[in-house]
Amino acid sequence: MWFFKNNGLSLKEAKEMLNEYTSDPRSRNLREDANIVRKALLLLEEEKLSLSRFNDAILATFDKKLRKLAKRRGVKTI
């Protein structure tokens, strides 16, 4: 994600490029995680979040705002 952000690509451009990459049969190394990447990008897009929040969209967090977002999206939190 930092590559896209540092090179001035928008979320839409990054999403298109990653969707092309992860759907290509030659990208077997990401095959099982492709849906996680797609869902995280969709979350960023729907919530109008920056690409810099990508890791927050797929990892656990102690951030109160992200916990609220997770609950709103139906993700169980501890």
Side-chain angles (χ1 to χ4, degrees):
M1 289 306 128
W2 287 109
F3 168 81
F4 297 117
K5 184 164 179 55
N6 289 337
N7 286 285
L9 278 79
S10 68
L11 174 58
K12 182 180 178 183
E13 292 168 317
K15 184 178 174 185
E16 288 173 8
M17 291 177 75
L18 283 169
N19 280 334
E20 288 175 24
Y21 181 77
T22 57
S23 64
D24 189 306
R26 296 172 288 178
S27 66
R28 287 175 277 173
N29 57 328
L30 287 180
R31 190 43 101 196
E32 293 183 10
D33 296 331
N35 286 332
I36 293 170
V37 171
R38 287 187 189 108
K39 287 179 183 179
L41 290 170
L42 182 62
L43 173 71
L44 294 178
E45 190 173 49
E46 289 176 351
E47 297 294 328
K48 296 176 178 46
L49 298 172
S50 165
L51 277 173
S52 63
R53 301 299 299 267
F54 179 80
N55 284 346
D56 295 333
I58 61 172
L59 300 175
T61 183
F62 292 100
D63 186 290
K64 289 180 182 180
K65 288 182 181 179
L66 287 173
R67 281 199 307 266
K68 287 180 184 178
L69 172 60
K71 287 180 182 180
R72 204 169 61 237
R73 303 286 296 194
V75 176
K76 291 183 181 181
T77 60
I78 300 175

